[in-house]
Amino acid sequence: MAERKSKSVITCDLEGRIETFNKGAEQIFGYRPEEVIGKKRVSLFSPGLIVLGHVSKWLETAQQEGEFKSRTVFQRRDGTRFAADIRITPTFRKGQQIGYC
């Protein structure tokens, strides 16, 4: 069976609050945009120790180098976990960093 490739795009503010959540994210993670936008943080998709152990370094790298890429494990709404490639980039408005994509 061929591997299924889907792409999600999620943006968050500097505190990790979800600001945008595209159709791919909805299909992959099992949440509707209205359930998460402005109400949840992106840590919702990462099992416990991944957030605590890695995210601050990932964000620092993205901020300093313009992006961070890796493979990690995510968690769907139903609790199932899956491996995926991740790319984090800082987002800007009027020259000021406002979050991450």
Side-chain angles (χ1 to χ4, degrees):
M1 183 174 187
E3 182 180 337
R4 187 176 136 226
K5 297 269 185 183
S6 296
K7 183 176 181 178
S8 74
V9 178
I10 301 168
T11 61
C12 67
D13 66 13
L14 292 172
E15 300 298 319
R17 283 182 297 268
I18 298 168
E19 294 183 326
T20 65
F21 194 76
N22 79 343
K23 190 70 166 170
E26 186 176 355
Q27 293 168 346
I28 292 168
F29 293 104
Y31 293 91
R32 292 185 318 277
E34 60 271 16
E35 293 179 287
V36 296
I37 293 174
K39 299 175 185 172
K40 302 288 183 182
R41 296 179 186 277
V42 291
S43 57
L44 174 69
F45 312 120
S46 297
L49 294 179
I50 291 176
V51 173
L52 296 175
H54 302 287
V55 171
S56 64
K57 184 63 177 166
W58 294 352
L59 298 180
E60 180 182 329
T61 300
Q63 187 178 40
Q64 292 174 352
E65 298 178 17
E67 75 175 2
F68 171 82
K69 289 182 177 181
S70 187
R71 188 145 180 93
T72 191
V73 174
F74 287 113
Q75 185 168 302
R76 293 182 178 94
R77 181 184 190 142
D78 67 7
T80 59
R81 294 180 180 187
F82 63 99
D85 294 318
I86 185 173
R87 179 175 179 250
I88 301 170
T89 58
T91 56
F92 296 89
R93 183 179 297 132
K94 297 180 183 177
Q96 184 78 22
Q97 185 178 353
I98 58 167
Y100 293 93
C101 179

